[in-house]
Every structure is written in structure tokens, then in C-alpha cells.
Amino acid sequence: MKPTLRLAGITTAAALLGLVACSPQRPAPTRATVKETNQRKHAPDFALKDANGKLVHLADFKGKVVLLDFWATWCGPCGIEIPWFTEFERKYKDRGFEVVGVSMDDAGWTAINPFVARKKINYRVVLGDDTTGDEYGGLEALPTTFVIDRDGRIAAVHVGLADKEDFENAIENLLQTPAAPAGVDSARADGTNADGGARSHS
Amino acid sequence: MAPTLTVAPVPTVRTHKGAVATVTFKAALPPGFHANSNTPTDSYLIPLTLKWTGGPLQMDSIVYPKAALEKYSFSDKPLSVVTGAFEITTKFKVPANAPNGASSENGTIRYQACNDRMCFAPKTIPVTFSISVD
């Protein structure tokens, strides 16, 4: 895998989403501003394997609020957020919330498994790849975290260490909104719009 | 944007068979960024490393920059890092069978950089210098 390629450009994607304000040298903390419903873009679906080799798709979480965290074991700021996400998983799971961690470690499960055990991670962790990184705009920096609404749309994105309270506010906000009724375009996890158009972050 | 480690070119090393040649690379990271030192404080962290991959010389030893212990907002304890300008020095032995004349020694520097809020993918960059053996 090529982490440099995989990580390339997510800052740009986040900037395009209008949710991130950062300078290259000392970025300000990103805020969990939840976009208005009509400004949200579909989160690309993915098929990534967990530690047991089982394929996990974003579509598996249809109807739930998903916190999708791109991270790596070598990323210090990621290690700060992971206990928050573990807490969120425990606190909100029964209300229709899931955390999915996408590890971008080149070393794969030999690096990830001990870290997961050490951090007592209680949510799904999958191994990322170049394709998924590209689908999410490329990844330049970690952590990069997407908060996805019940209809599979990206409601907020953070690049870099964010504030725990901001995440929690975003989650609470999204959990209070039910999924759109069947037949109403919004949450097509195949990544297309109702008219079949290709997904786009911009 | 991910920080780039800049490495200044090294002048041609003029040496002779049986000698010891010392080569120092001057490198620098942009302000606000750090890279893990060669001896990071956690096994999960990716160390700064220089590897020599090809050339007529025999690598003897590498001296990495002195690490600084710095505290960041994301770490509970200080991290062993390098920042700003630093040097990596390699001592080579010039073998008796080294070819006369011009050649080059090639290697790579691998580093992984962060600032105090985010980290960037590990990078491996090529380094090289010219040699003239009498």
C-alpha cells in the first residue's frame, strides 16, 4: 500500500466541503459544524476487511449515524481521539450510532491488532486501502474523521485533532434526525444520487 | 500540506582505498513540524532512519541527530523528536577493492512528520553523493 498516495488530498476535500480551516504549519482545531441537509454529499461506500477477514461495507450501517475515522498506529493525535470514540460507541450505540475505524497502517494487522488491544477499542476496525482513501478525497493528514448522517451523507469532517465536544454535539444533532423515508433520495450507499449521478464531495 | 524534509547536496567525497570517509547530510523540516527521532519513545512510532542501499563504500556507522524531548498537545509524555535543521553523519570504510575513479553512493532517508494536531504519512526520500577514489 502507498500511504502517501492514500493520504494525498483529503485536506483539499475537506476544504472543498467548507468545513476545515487550517494552515499548513499550525492548523486550528477543526469544528464539528454540521452541514445543512441539502449541502451534504453522499459518503462513498467501501468494502474493507476487518481483523477476521470479513468484508465491511459502509452500506452495512444504513440508517445509522456513523463516525468514520481514518487513523494509524503511528499517529499520535489519533491516539487521543480513539478513547473518545470508544466512549461514543458505548454511549450512543443503542441509539443507532456506530464508529468505524479505518487504519491506514502499511504494516497491516500485525501493527493494528496489538494497538486495538492496548487501546481497548470496542468498535469495528478495518484496514484501509488506496482506493478508499481516494474515494474520500485522498488522505493527506491523519486523523481525518467523517461524521455521516443516517442517510449516508457526510455531515461533518475533521482533519487533525478535533474537540471531543464538537464530535459529541454533531453526533447528538444527527441522532435526533430520523432517516429519510424509503424512496426519498438521500442515503444511497451505492454512492449514486437518485438520478444515477456519480457521487462527489465537491 | 505535508511537510517536506529538505536535504542539502553533499560535495564530492575524494578519498582513497583503506581510508575512512565521513559524510554529513544537512537536513531541515519546516517550522511547526517534527519528525520522530531515530529512537522514538513508543514502539508504534516510525523512527528517522538512513539506509545505504548501493555504492562502492562500506558503511561503518551512522550518527543521528541528538533528539529533543518535546511535549505536544496529543501526547501524555514528551516525545523524542527532531525539529528544524539537523545533521545525519555516516562513516564509511573505503574497501581495498573499491574501483578507482568516480562513482556514487545511494541511500534513503525515511521519516514520519507531525505537527501538534495531525500526522502525515511516512516518507522515504533518496539521498546520494558522488565519490572519487584515488
Side-chain angles (χ1 to χ4, degrees), chain B residues 1-103:
Chain B
M1 178 182 281
T4 299
L5 180 72
T6 55
V7 181
V10 172
T12 298
V13 174
R14 300 184 187 286
T15 187
H16 57 87
K17 293 171 185 176
V20 171
T22 300
V23 175
T24 297
F25 281 101
K26 295 179 186 296
L29 279 168
F33 294 100
H34 66 267
N36 298 312
S37 75
N38 179 247
T39 53
T41 48
D42 192 307
S43 61
Y44 291 108
L45 301 177
I46 295 171
L48 173 72
T49 52
L50 168 60
K51 285 186 179 174
W52 292 105
T53 53
L57 306 185
Q58 181 184 343
M59 197 276 287
D60 181 63
S61 62
I62 296 175
V63 178
Y64 287 97
K66 182 175 168 53
L69 282 175
E70 292 196 356
K71 180 80 173 61
Y72 294 94
S73 60
F74 60 81
S75 61
D76 297 331
K77 56 188 179 184
L79 300 180
S80 177
V81 300
V82 294
T83 58
F86 57 87
E87 296 181 350
I88 306 177
T89 299
T90 307
K91 280 189 177 178
F92 294 95
K93 291 176 180 172
V94 186
N97 61 354
N100 287 329
S103 60

Side-chain angles (χ1 to χ4, degrees), chain A residues 48-56 109:
Chain A
L48 299 170
K49 288 184 178 176
D50 67 12
N52 298 317
K54 183 181 177 186
L55 274 178
V56 176
W109 295 105

Side-chain angles (χ1 to χ4, degrees), chain A residues 5 9 11 19 23 60 68 75 77 90 129 142 152 154 164 185 187:
Chain A
L5 292 176
T11 303
L19 297 166
S23 72
D60 298 341
L68 185 66
C75 166
R90 189 166 49 243
D129 59 21
L142 298 178
I154 297 169
K164 181 183 178 185
D185 171 43

Side-chain angles (χ1 to χ4, degrees), chain A residues 11-196:
Chain A
T11 303
T12 304
L16 288 170
L17 285 164
L19 297 166
V20 174
C22 66
S23 72
Q25 296 179 1
R26 193 172 290 274
T30 58
R31 311 299 297 187
T33 307
V34 174
K35 296 203 87 173
E36 293 297 326
T37 307
N38 61 4
Q39 294 176 18
R40 298 175 194 167
K41 302 298 181 184
H42 293 277
D45 198 10
F46 53 74
L48 299 170
K49 288 184 178 176
D50 67 12
N52 298 317
K54 183 181 177 186
L55 274 178
V56 176
H57 304 81
L58 180 62
D60 298 341
F61 307 100
K62 185 176 171 62
K64 294 184 175 181
V65 173
V66 176
L67 188 148
L68 185 66
D69 176 40
F70 289 86
W71 66 285
T73 57
W74 42 259
C75 166
C78 301
I80 293 294
E81 292 184 341
I82 284 170
W84 305 345
F85 300 159
T86 299
E87 179 186 328
F88 296 160
E89 174 79 5
R90 189 166 49 243
K91 187 173 177 181
Y92 297 111
K93 188 176 179 67
D94 291 344
R95 293 174 58 191
F97 171 78
E98 295 268 359
V99 180
V100 180
V102 182
S103 169
M104 304 306 279
D105 282 89
D106 275 356
W109 295 105
T110 54
I112 300 166
N113 281 335
F115 191 91
V116 167
R118 175 175 156 183
K119 288 283 187 181
K120 298 183 170 64
I121 294 177
N122 60 352
Y123 51 82
R124 298 294 288 274
V125 173
V126 295
L127 182 59
D129 59 21
D130 294 345
T131 303
T132 305
D134 290 343
E135 286 280 307
Y136 277 82
L139 296 167
E140 184 173 353
L142 298 178
T144 294
T145 307
F146 296 84
V147 186
I148 299 168
D149 69 16
R150 292 185 189 272
D151 294 320
R153 296 168 303 193
I154 297 169
V157 59
H158 305 264
V159 179
L161 180 61
D163 290 334
K164 181 183 178 185
E165 186 181 350
D166 286 346
F167 277 123
E168 201 147 23
N169 289 341
I171 293 164
E172 285 280 8
N173 178 318
L174 296 175
L175 283 174
Q176 289 168 15
T177 307
V184 175
D185 171 43
S186 52
R188 295 185 54 165
D190 62 358
T192 61
N193 300 320
D195 60 3

